[in-house]
């Protein structure tokens, strides 16, 4: 594994680079003023300062953006449903100076996302209820005055400017209501901001794909919401735009796919399935248990990860566009607080997540009805088995999962029950009896494959959605290694807090059964001759930095995690000194746009409620 770079190990120069502003989780390639012979060989991050809302685990600091002219950061505060405006003239001591609210746009509306370009601030406004159409609003960065707002699709979850500044794109997620009674269609809005005081909008929908349901499912696109059309089931999450402002790629997180958008035509031209990651392959293992008390990263044949990217970004290399994804993972869980749902009323919600040990329990599904057994699953069968020819390595036999259910094996792993069981040519489940034999009168499903959430990795794809590179199990392996250190001073062994949760102390290994370190945010920036990806880990926390200049062969160059208290169980009680927890977004500020003349990194941290600022220290040789 590559070693973490430390400031005292490197002879560093801060390079003044002239760059296009990078905001939110989308970036543009940066130009520079470096001498022709100058070469960037790496970088490290150094903590500079933070602003704290004083709110713990309330999502009080999420998406970040920066305006160079006013030297202001704009931070989505989901707790207040607004945007905090921070004076960044002194990045060591950022100060809140104002708030952008959206109460005049829609009653009880909240802000989901923010982006900045050319002195304009675009915000995504979610209506109440969230299933109603939302809005995109544009403010002036300097005077904070509303220029105009315009209605878009349901639940705009992310906004970004095109590099040419002409459009704001909005990913309208269109999540269902909690009881799944209303399921809006997902869409992507193209808002023309060339005249900020008079916005116009065109919206790209997915209606043309409704007739392609079978083909999309066969290609690997996850379309499975109860009674949903393709257009209802697809849920746009994040957007990245090509350098020429003509094409956008949109992550469809729950669907494990990307949508490709022709911006000029405001038309979705394709749905690109991302496939699955085989955890049975060497170099692609995971730690699957939170209850074994040890770090146990190993291969698990028959288990696959669903990429499920959250934040995405893109960059150019060798004349081609590459998409970078933070493969967080995300399960659909609607109605999980409704007792009627768990007691068998499938009309009250839809939950797809279940532990392996409960899925293949020898007593079947009935034992957990009223607890955590989805009624949609009990409508299919009375229980489930593991294919013994696939899972024999952990003890599965015909008719019994045996030791595969153990907590130190696959028992604790959270998987999606909606796929992986054997089906016939019509997609109906093939039934088995208690002896493990195929039987039309049987009552059991047979799982040939188990699918878990996220891939605990960074991945790079070409513009057609074909995988170019995946980090494999390198992130978990690094977090388990002696080279990895936590804290602002980089003095705490990562292995002591491997796969920890982000909201409590002494939580060693607590996320291994779920999504591990949970890559959440990613931003790409170019400095001189090198392009770097900054990857935020939501649960374990911190920023991993990769040199992605060669898309087929990235190299990890740094990791900085400014959470300083890992042992106080009640983290809220030490919030003032705990540091930064739960990275949600990353913004790169180029040197020419920076108030200090040096590149900066800004992160929104939803659990600690902090906005953190880091210096980007570039290593230069000539």
């Amino acid at each position: 594994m590559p070693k973490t770079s430390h400031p005292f190990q490197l002879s560093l120069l801060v390079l003044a680079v002239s760059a296009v502003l990078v905001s939110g989780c989308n970036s543009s390639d940066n130009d520079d003023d470096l001498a022709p012979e100058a070469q960037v060989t790496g970088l490290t991050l150094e903590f500079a300062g933070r602003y704290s809302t004083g709110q713990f685990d309330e999502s009080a600091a999420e998406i970040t953006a920066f305006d160079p002219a006013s030297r202001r950061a704009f931070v989505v505060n989901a707790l207040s449903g607004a945007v905090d405006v921070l004076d960044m003239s002194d990045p060591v001591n950022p100060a809140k100076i104002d708030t952008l609210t959206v109460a005049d746009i829609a009653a009880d509306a909240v802000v989901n996302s923010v982006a900045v370009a050319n002195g304009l601030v675009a915000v995504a406004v979610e209506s109440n209820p969230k299933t109603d159409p939302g809005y995109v609003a544009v403010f002036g960065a300097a005077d904070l005055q509303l220029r105009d707002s315009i209605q878009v699709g349901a639940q705009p979850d992310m906004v970004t400017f095109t590099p040419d500044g002409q459009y704001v794109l909005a990913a309208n997620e269109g999540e269902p209501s909690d009881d799944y009674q209303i399921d809006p269609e997902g869409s992507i809005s193209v808002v023309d901001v060339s005249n900020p005081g008079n916005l116009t909008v065109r919206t790209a929908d997915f209606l043309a794909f409704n007739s392609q349901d079978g083909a999309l499912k066969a290609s690997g696109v996850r379309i499975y919401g109860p009674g949903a059309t393709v257009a209802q089931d697809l849920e746009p999450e994040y957007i990245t735009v090509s350098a020429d402002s003509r094409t956008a790629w949109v992550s469809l997180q729950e669907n494990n796919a990307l949508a490709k958008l022709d911006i000029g035509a405001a038309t979705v031209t394709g749905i690109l399935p991302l496939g699955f990651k085989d955890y049975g392959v060497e170099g692609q293992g995971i730690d699957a248990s939170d209850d074994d008390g040890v770090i146990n990263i190993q291969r698990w044949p028959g288990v696959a990860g669903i990429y499920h990217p959250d934040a995405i970004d893109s960059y150019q290399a060798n004349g081609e566009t590459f998409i970078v994804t933070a493969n967080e993972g995300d399960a659909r869980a609607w109605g999980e607080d409704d007792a009627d749902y768990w007691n068998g009323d499938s009309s009250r919600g839809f939950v797809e997540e279940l532990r392996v040990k409960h899925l293949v329990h020898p007593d079947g599904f009935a034992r957990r009805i009223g607890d955590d057994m989805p009624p949609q699953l009990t409508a299919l069968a009375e229980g489930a088995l593991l294919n013994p020819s696939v899972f024999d390595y952990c003890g599965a036999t015909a008719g019994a999962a045996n030791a595969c259910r153990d907590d130190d094996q696959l028992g604790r792993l959270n998987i999606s029950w909606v796929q992986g069981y054997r089906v016939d040519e019509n997609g109906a489940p093939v039934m088995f009896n208690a002896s493990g034999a195929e039987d039309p009168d049987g009552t059991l499903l047979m799982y040939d494959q188990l699918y878990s959430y996220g891939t605990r990795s960074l991945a790079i794809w070409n513009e057609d959605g074909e995988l170019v590179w995946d980090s494999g199990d390198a992130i978990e392996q690094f977090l388990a290694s002696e080279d990895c250190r936590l804290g602002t001073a980089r003095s705490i062994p990562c292995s002591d807090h491997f796969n920890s949760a982000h909201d409590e102390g002494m939580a060693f290994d607590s996320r291994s059964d779920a999504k591990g370190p949970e890559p959440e945010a990613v931003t790409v920036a170019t400095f001189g001759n090198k392009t770097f990806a900054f990857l935020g880990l939501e649960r374990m926390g911190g920023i991993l930095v990769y040199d992605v200049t060669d898309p087929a062969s990235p190299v990890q160059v740094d990791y900085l995690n400014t959470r300083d208290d890992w042992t106080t169980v009640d983290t809220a009680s030490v919030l003032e000194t705990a540091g930064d927890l739960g990275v949600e977004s990353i913004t790169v500020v180029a040197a020419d746009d920076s108030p200090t003349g040096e590149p900066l990194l800004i992160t929104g941290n939803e659990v600690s409620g902090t906005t953190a600022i880091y210096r980007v220290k570039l290593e230069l040789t000539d």
Side-chain angles (χ1 to χ4, degrees):
M1 292 301 301
K3 292 186 177 181
T4 303
S5 301
H6 294 271
F8 61 84
Q9 295 173 319
L10 302 172
S11 175
L12 302 174
L13 294 176
V14 177
L15 307 180
V17 295
S18 173
V20 178
L21 171 69
V22 183
S23 65
C25 285
N26 287 269
S27 67
S28 302
D29 287 346
N30 298 344
D31 299 323
D32 61 82
D33 294 332
L34 302 179
E37 67 277 8
Q39 297 290 313
V40 175
T41 58
L43 66 77
T44 56
L45 298 177
E46 177 184 283
F47 177 74
R50 70 169 58 90
Y51 167 76
S52 178
T53 62
Q55 299 293 325
F56 177 76
D57 206 13
E58 296 285 356
S59 298
E62 292 195 330
I63 309 303
T64 57
F66 180 77
D67 175 56
S70 64
R71 296 184 172 182
R72 290 172 173 174
F74 296 83
V75 185
V76 173
N77 184 331
L79 176 62
S80 64
V83 178
D84 290 339
V85 184
L86 308 183
D87 181 358
M88 288 279 292
S89 298
D90 178 8
V92 175
N93 297 293
K96 181 180 175 181
I97 56 174
D98 215 326
T99 301
L100 287 179
T101 62
V102 293
D104 293 339
I105 296 171
D108 300 319
V110 296
V111 175
N112 283 338
S113 180
V114 63
V116 172
N118 304 322
L120 297 177
V121 181
V123 299
V125 181
E126 178 183 307
S127 296
N128 184 17
K130 67 177 182 179
T131 52
D132 283 354
Y135 298 84
V136 165
V138 173
F139 296 81
D143 61 14
L144 306 182
Q145 296 301 301
L146 178 67
R147 297 290 190 265
D148 196 12
S149 64
I150 196 163
Q151 192 174 86
V152 293
Q155 198 184 11
D157 197 47
M158 188 267 184
V159 289
T160 189
F161 283 87
T162 55
D164 63 10
Q166 182 176 355
Y167 299 109
V168 167
L169 307 182
N172 306 312
E173 189 167 9
E175 288 179 341
S177 57
D178 286 349
D179 60 5
Y180 233 109
Q181 299 302 297
I182 303 172
D183 189 2
E185 294 174 352
S187 62
I188 306 154
S189 291
V190 180
V191 181
D192 191 329
V193 295
S194 54
N195 180 359
N198 185 24
L199 303 178
T200 60
V201 64
R202 294 168 297 148
T203 294
D205 59 38
F206 295 98
L207 293 175
F209 295 93
N210 280 344
S211 62
Q212 302 177 36
D213 180 276
L216 288 170
K217 288 179 179 177
S219 73
V221 180
R222 301 183 78 232
I223 299 168
Y224 59 98
T229 65
V230 171
Q232 289 174 311
D233 205 66
L234 297 180
E235 297 184 2
E237 185 83 20
Y238 258 78
I239 306 173
T240 187
V241 185
S242 62
D244 63 8
S245 299
R246 298 176 63 182
T247 305
W249 291 265
V250 184
S251 63
L252 307 172
Q253 186 172 24
E254 288 80 0
N255 313 104
N256 196 39
L258 300 174
K260 196 170 184 177
L261 175 74
D262 180 327
I263 296 173
T267 300
V268 177
T269 59
I271 307 294
L272 312 176
L274 298 180
F276 305 95
K277 183 172 174 177
D278 185 353
Y279 290 145
V281 174
E282 189 65 36
Q284 295 189 170
I286 59 169
D287 187 324
S289 175
D290 64 335
D291 200 38
D292 56 1
V294 296
I295 298 173
N296 182 25
I297 304 166
Q298 67 176 67
R299 297 186 302 113
W300 297 99
V303 183
I306 311 170
Y307 276 95
H308 274 162
D310 188 340
I312 65 175
D313 205 351
S314 58
Y315 69 106
Q316 295 248 294
N318 303 317
E320 298 180 57
T321 299
F322 294 90
I323 298 96
V324 183
T325 60
N327 304 311
E328 176 198 25
D330 195 15
R332 281 181 169 154
W334 306 108
E336 57 186 338
D337 295 325
D338 189 330
D340 289 339
Y341 174 73
W342 295 118
N343 285 319
D345 186 350
S346 62
S347 72
R348 303 290 297 178
F350 178 70
V351 177
E352 64 162 316
E353 188 173 43
L354 195 64
R355 291 197 193 277
V356 172
K357 65 189 298 181
H358 302 321
L359 177 71
V360 294
H361 195 283
D363 293 337
F365 299 153
R367 58 185 291 275
R368 298 193 74 85
I369 291 175
D371 186 359
D372 60 1
M373 186 58 60
Q376 289 90 352
L377 177 56
T378 60
L380 288 178
E382 295 179 5
L385 302 170
L386 293 179
N387 186 338
S389 66
V390 177
F391 294 97
D392 59 334
Y393 69 91
C394 57
T397 59
N402 297 318
C404 294
R405 293 186 57 255
D406 290 353
D407 287 349
D408 61 353
Q409 295 293 313
L410 290 171
R412 296 287 297 174
L413 186 65
N414 287 304
I415 54 91
S416 174
W417 62 261
V418 304
Q419 63 191 114
Y421 57 82
R422 198 172 307 176
V423 297
D424 62 21
E425 59 185 12
N426 298 315
V430 175
M431 305 309 295
F432 288 76
N433 60 35
S435 298
E438 186 174 331
D439 181 352
D441 295 322
T443 60
L444 305 176
L445 302 174
M446 176 63 74
Y447 279 83
D448 301 312
Q449 186 93 29
L450 298 173
Y451 291 90
S452 66
Y453 299 99
T455 57
R456 311 184 188 196
S457 68
L458 178 76
I460 299 177
W461 316 78
N462 68 19
E463 59 185 69
D464 295 319
E466 298 169 338
L467 184 64
V468 174
W469 177 85
D470 181 272
S471 62
D473 62 11
I475 293 177
E476 279 192 306
Q477 295 284 8
F478 173 69
L479 295 174
S481 73
E482 289 299 317
D483 296 320
C484 183
R485 290 292 184 269
L486 303 168
T488 306
R490 305 180 189 244
S491 59
I492 305 167
C494 296
S495 57
D496 289 352
H497 305 282
F498 175 80
N499 276 356
S500 286
H502 54 12
D503 56 359
E504 60 182 342
M506 299 302 291
F508 172 83
D509 208 26
S510 67
R511 298 301 301 172
S512 291
D513 62 320
K515 295 175 277 187
E518 207 162 320
E520 165 86 8
V522 67
T523 296
V524 179
T526 296
F527 300 102
N529 57 302
K530 293 287 188 179
T531 300
F532 297 92
F534 300 88
L535 179 70
L537 304 180
E538 181 176 8
R539 298 289 177 164
M540 187 71 178
I543 308 294
L544 278 162
V545 186
Y546 295 84
D547 179 344
V548 296
T549 307
D550 178 357
S553 187
V555 178
Q556 183 191 323
V557 298
D558 196 23
Y559 174 63
L560 179 60
N561 188 324
T562 50
R563 176 179 178 179
D564 289 317
D565 189 308
W566 292 81
T567 58
T568 304
V569 174
D570 180 12
T571 306
S573 67
V574 291
L575 183 60
E576 188 174 337
T577 56
D580 304 296
L581 301 89
V583 180
E584 183 73 14
S585 68
I586 303 171
T587 296
V588 175
V589 180
D592 276 4
D593 293 332
S594 167
T596 63
E598 60 185 341
L600 299 174
L601 202 71
I602 304 172
T603 66
N605 305 282
E606 62 174 348
V607 173
S608 56
T610 57
T611 302
I613 299 93
Y614 304 92
R615 301 181 184 92
V616 178
K617 312 290 284 187
L618 301 173
E619 182 182 7
L620 174 66
T621 62
D622 53 35

